[in-house]
Amino acid sequence: MFHVVYKWFVPSKNKSAFLKSWEQTTNHIHETVDGALGSFCIEAVDDTNTLMTIARWHSREQWEAFIGTAKTGPMRKMHTFAKQISVDGYYELGDHTKPTDT
């Protein structure tokens, strides 16, 4: 499994629009791109303008095939509401989280 952590600066006035755009974008990618498993979004405790979206992929190769067109394609709208600070990839070495009922 491969995870990608996107860190964003989202001005308060854009947060609602960014979250709506992220939800639509991640669902679209998950439904249409091979290897995409969706993502979740978290907010920094001490800086509510800093958000991270963490995407899960079957493989790094599938993410790399997708990411070349992300800013001009599916993720383009998200970039109108926020400034992307960083993107980092991580290989999953283990997962001991429990599924949620939500």
Side-chain angles (χ1 to χ4, degrees):
M1 209 58 59
F2 188 69
H3 299 263
V4 183
V5 178
Y6 300 87
K7 188 173 185 178
W8 304 87
F9 172 78
V10 184
S12 298
K13 66 179 183 174
N14 292 350
K15 188 176 291 180
S16 178
F18 176 84
L19 289 171
K20 183 178 180 181
S21 178
W22 162 75
E23 182 179 356
Q24 292 170 344
T25 300
T26 198
N27 287 334
H28 173 75
I29 293 167
H30 180 237
E31 294 167 0
T32 62
V33 179
D34 285 341
L37 299 172
S39 70
F40 63 94
C41 183
I42 57 177
E43 177 181 78
V45 171
D46 295 327
D47 179 4
T48 59
N49 291 325
T50 299
L51 305 181
M52 289 194 289
T53 55
I54 295 105
R56 192 171 189 190
W57 290 80
H58 278 294
S59 72
R60 178 180 182 174
E61 294 75 21
Q62 288 171 312
W63 173 73
E64 287 177 340
F66 160 77
I67 201 60
T69 61
K71 278 189 179 180
T72 58
M75 294 179 71
R76 179 175 43 91
K77 190 172 182 184
M78 291 171 61
H79 288 269
T80 65
F81 301 116
K83 179 180 188 237
Q84 187 175 304
I85 298 169
S86 63
V87 179
D88 295 297
Y90 298 87
Y91 291 109
E92 182 178 301
L93 302 179
D95 181 355
H96 295 278
T97 59
K98 294 182 181 185
T100 63
D101 293 334
T102 57

